[in-house]
Coordinates of all heavy atoms in Angstrom, one line a residue:
S11 N 8.0 -8.4 -12.7 CA 7.7 -9.6 -12.0 C 6.5 -9.4 -11.2 O 5.9 -8.3 -11.0 CB 8.9 -10.0 -11.1 OG 9.1 -9.1 -10.1
G12 N 6.0 -10.5 -10.6 CA 4.9 -10.5 -9.6 C 3.7 -9.9 -10.1 O 3.1 -10.1 -11.2
I13 N 3.0 -9.0 -9.2 CA 1.7 -8.4 -9.5 C 1.8 -7.5 -10.7 O 0.9 -7.5 -11.5 CB 1.3 -7.6 -8.2 CG1 1.0 -8.6 -7.0 CG2 -0.1 -6.9 -8.5 CD1 0.8 -7.9 -5.8
G14 N 2.8 -6.8 -10.8 CA 3.0 -5.9 -12.0 C 3.0 -6.6 -13.3 O 2.4 -6.3 -14.3
Y15 N 3.8 -7.7 -13.4 CA 3.9 -8.6 -14.6 C 2.5 -9.2 -14.9 O 2.1 -9.1 -16.1 CB 4.9 -9.7 -14.2 CG 5.3 -10.5 -15.5 CD1 6.5 -10.2 -16.1 CD2 4.5 -11.6 -15.9 CE1 6.9 -11.0 -17.2 CE2 4.9 -12.3 -17.0 CZ 6.1 -12.0 -17.6 OH 6.5 -12.8 -18.7
E16 N 1.8 -9.8 -13.9 CA 0.6 -10.3 -14.2 C -0.5 -9.3 -14.5 O -1.4 -9.6 -15.3 CB 0.1 -11.2 -13.0 CG 1.0 -12.3 -12.7 CD 1.0 -13.4 -13.8 OE1 0.0 -13.4 -14.5 OE2 1.8 -14.3 -13.8
T17 N -0.5 -8.2 -13.9 CA -1.3 -7.0 -14.2 C -1.2 -6.6 -15.7 O -2.3 -6.3 -16.4 CB -1.2 -5.9 -13.3 OG1 -1.5 -6.3 -12.0 CG2 -2.1 -4.7 -13.7
A18 N 0.0 -6.6 -16.1 CA 0.3 -6.2 -17.6 C -0.4 -7.2 -18.5 O -1.1 -6.8 -19.4 CB 1.7 -6.1 -17.8
L19 N -0.2 -8.5 -18.2 CA -0.9 -9.5 -19.0 C -2.5 -9.4 -18.9 O -3.1 -9.5 -19.9 CB -0.5 -10.9 -18.5 CG 1.0 -11.3 -18.7 CD1 1.2 -12.7 -18.0 CD2 1.3 -11.4 -20.2
A20 N -3.0 -9.1 -17.8 CA -4.5 -8.9 -17.6 C -5.0 -7.8 -18.4 O -6.0 -7.8 -19.1 CB -4.8 -8.9 -16.1
F21 N -4.3 -6.6 -18.3 CA -4.8 -5.4 -19.1 C -4.5 -5.7 -20.6 O -5.4 -5.2 -21.4 CB -4.0 -4.2 -18.6 CG -4.7 -3.5 -17.5 CD1 -4.6 -4.0 -16.2 CD2 -5.5 -2.4 -17.6 CE1 -5.1 -3.4 -15.1 CE2 -6.1 -1.8 -16.6 CZ -6.0 -2.2 -15.3
A22 N -3.5 -6.3 -21.0 CA -3.3 -6.6 -22.4 C -4.4 -7.5 -22.9 O -4.8 -7.3 -24.1 CB -1.9 -7.3 -22.6
A23 N -4.8 -8.4 -22.1 CA -6.0 -9.3 -22.5 C -7.2 -8.5 -22.8 O -8.0 -9.0 -23.6 CB -6.2 -10.4 -21.4
R24 N -7.4 -7.4 -22.2 CA -8.5 -6.5 -22.5 C -8.2 -5.5 -23.7 O -9.1 -4.7 -23.9 CB -8.8 -5.7 -21.2 CG -9.4 -6.5 -20.1 CD -10.0 -5.6 -19.1 NE -10.7 -6.4 -18.0 CZ -11.5 -5.8 -17.1 NH1 -11.7 -4.5 -17.1 NH2 -12.1 -6.6 -16.2
G25 N -7.1 -5.7 -24.3 CA -6.7 -4.8 -25.4 C -6.2 -3.5 -25.0 O -6.1 -2.6 -25.9
K26 N -5.7 -3.4 -23.8 CA -5.1 -2.1 -23.4 C -3.7 -2.0 -23.9 O -2.9 -2.9 -23.6 CB -5.2 -2.0 -21.9 CG -6.6 -2.1 -21.3 CD -7.4 -0.9 -21.6 CE -8.8 -0.8 -20.9 NZ -9.6 0.4 -21.2
N27 N -3.3 -0.9 -24.4 CA -1.9 -0.6 -24.8 C -1.2 -0.2 -23.5 O -1.7 0.4 -22.5 CB -1.8 0.6 -25.7 CG -2.6 0.3 -27.0 OD1 -2.3 -0.7 -27.7 ND2 -3.4 1.2 -27.4
L28 N 0.0 -0.6 -23.4 CA 0.8 -0.6 -22.2 C 2.2 0.2 -22.3 O 2.8 0.1 -23.2 CB 1.1 -2.1 -21.7 CG 0.0 -2.9 -21.4 CD1 0.5 -4.3 -21.2 CD2 -0.9 -2.5 -20.3
V29 N 2.5 0.8 -21.2 CA 3.8 1.2 -20.9 C 4.3 0.5 -19.7 O 3.7 0.6 -18.6 CB 4.0 2.8 -20.6 CG1 5.4 3.1 -20.3 CG2 3.5 3.6 -21.8
I30 N 5.3 -0.4 -19.8 CA 5.7 -1.3 -18.7 C 7.1 -0.7 -18.3 O 8.0 -0.5 -19.1 CB 5.8 -2.7 -19.1 CG1 6.5 -2.9 -20.4 CG2 4.4 -3.3 -19.2 CD1 6.7 -4.5 -20.8
V31 N 7.2 -0.5 -16.9 CA 8.4 0.1 -16.4 C 9.0 -0.7 -15.3 O 8.3 -1.3 -14.4 CB 7.9 1.5 -15.7 CG1 9.2 2.2 -15.2 CG2 7.1 2.3 -16.6
A32 N 10.3 -0.8 -15.4 CA 11.1 -1.6 -14.3 C 12.6 -1.2 -14.6 O 13.0 -0.6 -15.5 CB 10.8 -3.1 -14.3
R33 N 13.4 -1.8 -13.7 CA 14.8 -1.7 -13.8 C 15.4 -2.7 -14.8 O 16.4 -2.6 -15.5 CB 15.6 -1.9 -12.5 CG 15.2 -0.8 -11.5 CD 15.9 -1.1 -10.1 NE 15.3 -2.5 -9.6 CZ 15.9 -3.3 -8.9 NH1 17.2 -3.1 -8.5 NH2 15.4 -4.5 -8.6
R34 N 14.8 -3.9 -14.9 CA 15.3 -5.0 -15.6 C 14.8 -5.1 -17.0 O 13.6 -5.5 -17.2 CB 15.0 -6.3 -14.8 CG 15.7 -6.3 -13.4 CD 15.4 -7.5 -12.6 NE 14.0 -7.6 -12.3 CZ 13.4 -8.7 -11.5 NH1 14.2 -9.7 -11.1 NH2 12.2 -8.7 -11.2
E35 N 15.6 -4.9 -17.9 CA 15.2 -4.8 -19.3 C 14.9 -6.2 -19.9 O 14.0 -6.4 -20.6 CB 16.3 -4.2 -20.2 CG 15.9 -4.0 -21.6 CD 16.9 -3.2 -22.4 OE1 18.0 -2.9 -21.9 OE2 16.6 -2.9 -23.6
T36 N 15.6 -7.2 -19.5 CA 15.5 -8.6 -20.0 C 14.0 -9.1 -19.7 O 13.3 -9.6 -20.5 CB 16.5 -9.5 -19.4 OG1 17.8 -9.1 -19.8 CG2 16.2 -10.9 -20.0
E37 N 13.6 -8.8 -18.4 CA 12.3 -9.3 -17.9 C 11.2 -8.5 -18.7 O 10.1 -9.2 -19.0 CB 12.2 -9.2 -16.5 CG 12.9 -10.3 -15.7 CD 14.4 -10.0 -15.6 OE1 14.8 -9.0 -16.1 OE2 15.1 -10.8 -14.9
L38 N 11.4 -7.3 -18.9 CA 10.3 -6.5 -19.6 C 10.2 -6.9 -21.0 O 9.1 -7.0 -21.6 CB 10.7 -5.0 -19.5 CG 10.5 -4.4 -18.2 CD1 10.8 -2.8 -18.3 CD2 9.2 -4.6 -17.5
A39 N 11.3 -7.2 -21.7 CA 11.4 -7.8 -23.0 C 10.6 -9.1 -23.1 O 9.9 -9.4 -24.1 CB 12.8 -7.9 -23.6
Q40 N 10.8 -9.9 -22.1 CA 10.1 -11.2 -22.1 C 8.6 -11.0 -21.9 O 7.8 -11.7 -22.6 CB 10.6 -12.1 -20.9 CG 12.0 -12.6 -21.1 CD 12.6 -13.3 -19.9 OE1 12.1 -13.2 -18.8 NE2 13.7 -14.0 -20.1
L41 N 8.2 -10.1 -21.1 CA 6.8 -9.8 -20.9 C 6.2 -9.3 -22.3 O 5.1 -9.7 -22.6 CB 6.6 -8.7 -19.8 CG 5.3 -8.1 -19.6 CD1 4.2 -9.2 -19.3 CD2 5.3 -7.1 -18.5
K42 N 6.9 -8.4 -22.9 CA 6.4 -7.9 -24.2 C 6.2 -8.9 -25.2 O 5.3 -9.0 -25.9 CB 7.3 -6.8 -24.7 CG 6.9 -6.1 -26.0 CD 7.8 -5.1 -26.4 CE 7.4 -4.4 -27.8 NZ 8.2 -3.3 -28.2
A43 N 7.2 -9.9 -25.3 CA 7.1 -11.0 -26.2 C 5.9 -12.0 -25.9 O 5.2 -12.4 -26.7 CB 8.5 -11.8 -26.1
E44 N 5.7 -12.1 -24.6 CA 4.5 -13.0 -24.1 C 3.2 -12.4 -24.5 O 2.3 -13.1 -25.0 CB 4.7 -13.2 -22.6 CG 3.6 -14.2 -22.1 CD 3.8 -14.6 -20.7 OE1 4.8 -14.2 -20.0 OE2 2.9 -15.2 -20.1
I45 N 3.1 -11.0 -24.4 CA 1.9 -10.4 -24.8 C 1.7 -10.5 -26.2 O 0.6 -10.7 -26.8 CB 1.9 -8.9 -24.3 CG1 1.9 -8.8 -22.8 CG2 0.8 -8.1 -25.0 CD1 2.1 -7.4 -22.2
A46 N 2.8 -10.3 -27.1 CA 2.6 -10.4 -28.5 C 2.1 -11.7 -29.0 O 1.5 -11.7 -30.1 CB 4.0 -10.0 -29.1
K47 N 2.3 -12.8 -28.2 CA 1.9 -14.1 -28.7 C 0.4 -14.2 -28.9 O -0.1 -14.8 -29.8 CB 2.4 -15.2 -27.7 CG 3.8 -15.4 -27.7 CD 4.2 -16.4 -26.6 CE 5.7 -16.6 -26.5 NZ 6.1 -17.6 -25.4
T48 N -0.4 -13.5 -28.0 CA -1.8 -13.6 -27.9 C -2.5 -12.3 -28.2 O -3.7 -12.2 -28.6 CB -2.3 -14.1 -26.6 OG1 -1.8 -13.2 -25.6 CG2 -1.8 -15.5 -26.3
Q49 N -1.8 -11.1 -28.1 CA -2.4 -9.8 -28.3 C -1.5 -9.0 -29.2 O -0.9 -7.9 -28.8 CB -2.6 -9.1 -26.9 CG -3.3 -9.9 -25.9 CD -4.8 -10.1 -26.3 OE1 -5.4 -9.2 -27.0 NE2 -5.3 -11.2 -25.8
A50 N -1.5 -9.4 -30.5 CA -0.6 -8.7 -31.4 C -0.9 -7.3 -31.7 O 0.0 -6.5 -32.1 CB -0.6 -9.6 -32.7
D51 N -2.1 -6.9 -31.5 CA -2.6 -5.5 -31.7 C -2.2 -4.6 -30.6 O -2.4 -3.4 -30.8 CB -4.0 -5.5 -32.2 CG -4.3 -6.2 -33.4 OD1 -3.5 -6.3 -34.3 OD2 -5.5 -6.7 -33.5
V52 N -1.8 -5.1 -29.5 CA -1.6 -4.3 -28.3 C -0.2 -3.7 -28.4 O 0.8 -4.4 -28.6 CB -1.7 -5.1 -27.0 CG1 -1.2 -4.3 -25.8 CG2 -3.2 -5.4 -26.7
D53 N -0.1 -2.4 -28.3 CA 1.3 -1.7 -28.3 C 1.8 -1.7 -26.9 O 1.2 -1.3 -26.0 CB 1.1 -0.3 -28.8 CG 2.5 0.4 -29.0 OD1 3.4 -0.2 -29.6 OD2 2.6 1.5 -28.5
V54 N 3.0 -2.2 -26.8 CA 3.7 -2.3 -25.5 C 5.0 -1.5 -25.6 O 5.8 -1.8 -26.4 CB 4.0 -3.7 -25.1 CG1 4.7 -3.8 -23.8 CG2 2.7 -4.6 -25.0
Q55 N 5.1 -0.5 -24.8 CA 6.4 0.3 -24.8 C 7.1 0.0 -23.5 O 6.5 0.0 -22.4 CB 6.0 1.8 -24.9 CG 5.3 2.1 -26.2 CD 5.5 3.6 -26.6 OE1 6.3 4.3 -26.0 NE2 4.6 4.0 -27.5
I56 N 8.4 -0.2 -23.6 CA 9.3 -0.5 -22.5 C 10.0 0.7 -22.0 O 10.6 1.4 -22.8 CB 10.2 -1.6 -22.8 CG1 9.6 -3.0 -23.0 CG2 11.4 -1.8 -21.8 CD1 10.4 -4.1 -23.5
K57 N 10.0 0.9 -20.7 CA 10.8 2.1 -20.1 C 11.6 1.5 -19.0 O 11.1 0.9 -18.0 CB 9.8 3.1 -19.6 CG 9.0 3.8 -20.7 CD 9.9 4.6 -21.7 CE 8.9 5.3 -22.6 NZ 9.8 6.1 -23.7
I58 N 12.9 1.7 -19.1 CA 13.9 1.2 -18.1 C 14.1 2.3 -17.1 O 14.6 3.3 -17.5 CB 15.2 0.7 -18.7 CG1 14.9 -0.3 -19.8 CG2 16.1 0.1 -17.6 CD1 14.1 -1.5 -19.4
A59 N 13.9 2.1 -15.8 CA 14.0 3.2 -14.9 C 14.2 2.7 -13.5 O 13.5 1.8 -13.0 CB 12.9 4.2 -14.9
D60 N 15.2 3.2 -12.8 CA 15.4 2.9 -11.4 C 14.7 4.1 -10.6 O 15.2 5.2 -10.6 CB 16.8 2.9 -11.0 CG 17.1 2.6 -9.5 OD1 16.1 2.7 -8.7 OD2 18.2 2.5 -9.1
L61 N 13.5 3.8 -10.1 CA 12.7 4.9 -9.5 C 13.0 5.2 -8.0 O 12.3 6.0 -7.4 CB 11.1 4.5 -9.6 CG 10.6 4.3 -11.1 CD1 9.2 3.9 -11.1 CD2 10.9 5.5 -11.9
T62 N 14.1 4.7 -7.6 CA 14.6 5.1 -6.2 C 15.3 6.4 -6.3 O 15.6 7.0 -5.4 CB 15.5 4.0 -5.6 OG1 16.7 3.9 -6.4 CG2 14.8 2.7 -5.5
V63 N 15.6 6.8 -7.6 CA 16.2 8.0 -7.9 C 15.3 9.1 -8.4 O 14.7 8.9 -9.5 CB 17.4 7.9 -8.9 CG1 18.1 9.2 -9.2 CG2 18.4 6.8 -8.4
A64 N 15.0 10.2 -7.8 CA 14.0 11.2 -8.0 C 14.2 11.7 -9.4 O 13.2 11.9 -10.2 CB 14.1 12.3 -7.0
E65 N 15.4 11.9 -9.9 CA 15.6 12.4 -11.3 C 15.1 11.5 -12.3 O 14.4 11.9 -13.3 CB 17.1 12.6 -11.5 CG 17.5 13.1 -12.9 CD 19.0 13.3 -13.1 OE1 19.8 13.1 -12.1 OE2 19.4 13.6 -14.2
N66 N 15.2 10.2 -12.0 CA 14.6 9.2 -13.0 C 13.1 9.2 -12.9 O 12.5 8.9 -14.0 CB 15.1 7.8 -12.7 CG 16.6 7.7 -12.7 OD1 17.3 8.5 -13.4 ND2 17.2 6.6 -12.1
V67 N 12.5 9.5 -11.8 CA 11.1 9.5 -11.7 C 10.5 10.7 -12.6 O 9.6 10.4 -13.3 CB 10.6 9.8 -10.2 CG1 9.1 9.9 -10.1 CG2 11.2 8.7 -9.3
Y68 N 11.1 11.9 -12.5 CA 10.7 13.0 -13.3 C 10.9 12.7 -14.8 O 10.1 13.0 -15.7 CB 11.3 14.2 -12.9 CG 10.8 14.9 -11.6 CD1 11.5 14.7 -10.4 CD2 9.7 15.6 -11.6 CE1 11.1 15.3 -9.2 CE2 9.2 16.1 -10.4 CZ 9.9 16.0 -9.2 OH 9.4 16.5 -8.1
G69 N 12.1 12.0 -15.0 CA 12.5 11.7 -16.4 C 11.4 10.7 -17.0 O 11.2 10.9 -18.2
L70 N 11.0 9.8 -16.3 CA 10.1 8.8 -16.8 C 8.8 9.5 -17.2 O 8.3 9.3 -18.4 CB 9.8 7.7 -15.7 CG 8.5 6.8 -16.0 CD1 8.8 5.9 -17.3 CD2 8.1 5.9 -14.8
Y71 N 8.3 10.3 -16.4 CA 7.0 11.0 -16.7 C 7.2 11.9 -18.0 O 6.3 12.0 -18.8 CB 6.4 11.8 -15.5 CG 5.0 12.2 -15.7 CD1 4.0 11.4 -15.4 CD2 4.7 13.5 -16.2 CE1 2.7 11.7 -15.6 CE2 3.4 13.8 -16.4 CZ 2.4 13.0 -16.2 OH 1.1 13.4 -16.4
E72 N 8.3 12.5 -18.0 CA 8.6 13.5 -19.1 C 8.6 12.7 -20.4 O 8.2 13.1 -21.5 CB 9.9 14.2 -18.9 CG 10.2 15.3 -19.9 CD 9.2 16.5 -19.9 OE1 8.6 16.7 -18.9 OE2 9.0 17.1 -21.0
D73 N 9.2 11.4 -20.4 CA 9.3 10.6 -21.6 C 7.9 10.2 -22.1 O 7.8 9.8 -23.2 CB 10.0 9.3 -21.2 CG 11.5 9.5 -21.2 OD1 12.0 10.6 -21.6 OD2 12.3 8.7 -20.7
L74 N 6.9 10.3 -21.2 CA 5.6 9.8 -21.7 C 4.7 11.0 -22.0 O 3.5 10.8 -22.3 CB 4.9 9.1 -20.5 CG 5.7 7.8 -19.9 CD1 4.9 7.2 -18.8 CD2 6.0 6.9 -21.1
K75 N 5.2 12.2 -22.2 CA 4.4 13.4 -22.5 C 3.7 13.3 -23.8 O 2.6 14.0 -24.0 CB 5.3 14.6 -22.4 CG 5.6 15.2 -21.0 CD 4.3 15.8 -20.4 CE 4.7 16.5 -19.1 NZ 3.5 17.2 -18.5
D76 N 4.3 12.6 -24.8 CA 3.7 12.5 -26.1 C 2.6 11.4 -26.2 O 2.0 11.2 -27.3 CB 4.8 12.2 -27.2 CG 5.7 13.4 -27.3 OD1 5.3 14.5 -27.0 OD2 6.8 13.2 -27.7
L77 N 2.4 10.6 -25.1 CA 1.4 9.6 -25.1 C 0.1 10.0 -24.4 O 0.2 10.9 -23.5 CB 1.9 8.4 -24.4 CG 3.1 7.7 -24.9 CD1 3.5 6.4 -24.1 CD2 2.9 7.3 -26.4
E78 N -1.0 9.5 -24.8 CA -2.3 9.8 -24.1 C -2.5 8.7 -23.1 O -2.6 7.5 -23.5 CB -3.5 9.8 -25.1 CG -4.8 10.2 -24.4 CD -5.9 10.2 -25.4 OE1 -5.7 10.0 -26.6 OE2 -7.1 10.4 -24.9
L79 N -2.4 9.0 -21.8 CA -2.6 8.0 -20.7 C -4.0 7.9 -20.3 O -4.8 8.8 -20.2 CB -1.6 8.4 -19.5 CG -0.2 8.7 -19.9 CD1 0.6 9.0 -18.7 CD2 0.5 7.6 -20.7
E80 N -4.3 6.6 -19.8 CA -5.7 6.3 -19.4 C -5.6 5.9 -17.9 O -6.5 6.2 -17.2 CB -6.3 5.3 -20.3 CG -7.7 4.9 -19.9 CD -8.3 3.8 -20.8 OE1 -7.4 3.0 -21.3 OE2 -9.5 3.9 -21.1
T81 N -4.7 5.1 -17.6 CA -4.6 4.5 -16.3 C -3.1 4.5 -15.9 O -2.2 4.2 -16.7 CB -5.1 3.1 -16.2 OG1 -6.4 3.1 -16.7 CG2 -5.1 2.4 -14.8
W82 N -2.9 4.8 -14.6 CA -1.5 4.8 -14.1 C -1.5 3.9 -12.8 O -2.3 4.2 -11.9 CB -1.0 6.1 -13.7 CG 0.4 6.1 -13.5 CD1 1.1 5.6 -12.3 CD2 1.5 6.7 -14.3 NE1 2.5 5.7 -12.4 CE2 2.7 6.4 -13.6 CE3 1.5 7.5 -15.4 CZ2 4.0 6.9 -14.1 CZ3 2.7 7.9 -15.9 CH2 3.9 7.6 -15.3
I83 N -0.7 2.8 -12.9 CA -0.7 1.9 -11.7 C 0.7 2.0 -11.1 O 1.7 1.5 -11.7 CB -1.0 0.4 -12.1 CG1 -2.4 0.3 -12.8 CG2 -0.9 -0.6 -11.0 CD1 -2.7 -0.9 -13.5
N84 N 0.8 2.5 -9.9 CA 2.1 2.6 -9.1 C 2.2 1.3 -8.4 O 1.8 1.2 -7.3 CB 2.1 3.8 -8.2 CG 2.4 5.1 -9.0 OD1 3.4 5.1 -9.8 ND2 1.6 6.1 -8.7
N85 N 2.9 0.3 -9.0 CA 3.1 -1.0 -8.3 C 4.5 -1.1 -7.8 O 4.7 -2.0 -6.9 CB 2.8 -2.1 -9.4 CG 3.3 -3.5 -8.9 OD1 2.6 -4.0 -8.0 ND2 4.3 -4.0 -9.5
A86 N 5.5 -0.4 -8.3 CA 6.8 -0.6 -7.9 C 7.0 -0.3 -6.5 O 6.5 0.7 -5.9 CB 7.8 0.4 -8.8
G87 N 7.7 -1.2 -5.7 CA 7.9 -1.0 -4.3 C 8.6 -2.3 -3.8 O 8.6 -3.3 -4.5

Side-chain angles (χ1 to χ4, degrees):
S11 66
I13 296 172
Y15 191 98
E16 295 294 343
T17 297
L19 292 175
F21 272 80
R24 291 192 173 192
K26 300 291 188 181
N27 299 306
L28 300 173
V29 177
I30 51 177
V31 185
R33 296 171 301 149
R34 298 179 294 181
E35 185 173 7
T36 299
E37 284 78 359
L38 291 181
Q40 291 173 347
L41 173 56
K42 181 175 181 177
E44 186 173 350
I45 291 170
K47 292 177 183 177
T48 57
Q49 305 295 330
D51 293 335
V52 168
D53 185 49
V54 179
Q55 299 201 16
I56 290 175
K57 298 293 180 181
I58 310 302
D60 179 356
L61 298 180
T62 63
V63 180
E65 182 180 354
N66 297 342
V67 177
Y68 285 103
L70 168 65
Y71 194 84
E72 187 64 29
D73 283 347
L74 304 181
K75 281 290 190 178
D76 292 335
L77 299 180
E78 183 179 359
L79 307 182
E80 181 179 33
T81 304
W82 192 293
I83 301 172
N84 280 314
N85 170 71

